[in-house]
Amino acid sequence: QVQRESGGGLVQPGGSLRLSCIASARLLRAYDMAWYRQAPGKQRELVAGINTVGITNVAGSLKDRFSISRDSANNLVYLEMSSLKPEDSAVYFCNHGCSTAKCRPIGAWGQGTQVTVSS
């Protein structure tokens, strides 16, 4: 698995979480990165992406609550989530090769990290 997700968990509505995706330095230099999520019974969807020069893209409905960033020194890509809602509950994945909804990532999907928003 070329990238691995962590940081999920159970959080109350209105809470925050930071997800981490660790990948190789080579991968982060060469490819756009993105976070996706998949809720039960729904298709996987793009949450946020960051390209190789640091331009970010967050899905329209999430722009005011989610952000993506990259820590190149530690080979990490973060997804910061705030004001979480029950409908944000999903398995969150990171992947590479794409940072917008107009393309498809090229890596194999990992196990992802579960985010559950519930009181």
Side-chain angles (χ1 to χ4, degrees), residues 11 13-15 17 19 37-39 42 45 47 61-62 65-66 81-92 113-117:
V11 62
L17 271 180
L19 306 183
R37 70 183 183 183
Q38 187 169 22
K42 295 189 176 181
E45 61 178 354
V47 175
S61 60
L62 305 174
R65 300 188 296 118
F66 287 23
M81 307 183 293
S82 63
S83 301
L84 283 162
K85 305 174 181 180
E87 52 263 42
D88 295 318
S89 298
V91 180
Y92 285 70
T113 187
Q114 175 72 49
V115 172
T116 303
V117 185

Side-chain angles (χ1 to χ4, degrees), residues 23-76:
S24 70
R26 181 194 67 81
L27 198 78
L28 293 183
R29 280 196 304 270
Y31 294 101
D32 297 351
M33 299 292 295
W35 282 94
Y36 302 81
R37 70 183 183 183
Q38 187 169 22
K42 295 189 176 181
Q43 287 191 332
R44 190 173 287 151
E45 61 178 354
L46 176 79
V47 175
I50 184 167
N51 70 10
T52 54
V53 295
I55 297 173
T56 62
N57 166 62
V58 180
S61 60
L62 305 174
K63 282 185 190 296
D64 58 346
R65 300 188 296 118
F66 287 23
S67 64
I68 186 171
S69 62
R70 184 173 58 217
D71 176 356
S72 298
N74 293 295
N75 301 334
L76 290 165

Side-chain angles (χ1 to χ4, degrees), residues 1 3-9 19-21 35-38 44 90-95 108-115:
Q1 184 178 345
Q3 62 269 321
R4 189 170 68 249
E5 309 88 351
S6 65
L19 306 183
S20 300
C21 171
W35 282 94
Y36 302 81
R37 70 183 183 183
Q38 187 169 22
R44 190 173 287 151
V91 180
Y92 285 70
F93 304 87
C94 66
N95 210 320
W109 295 103
Q111 292 185 335
T113 187
Q114 175 72 49
V115 172

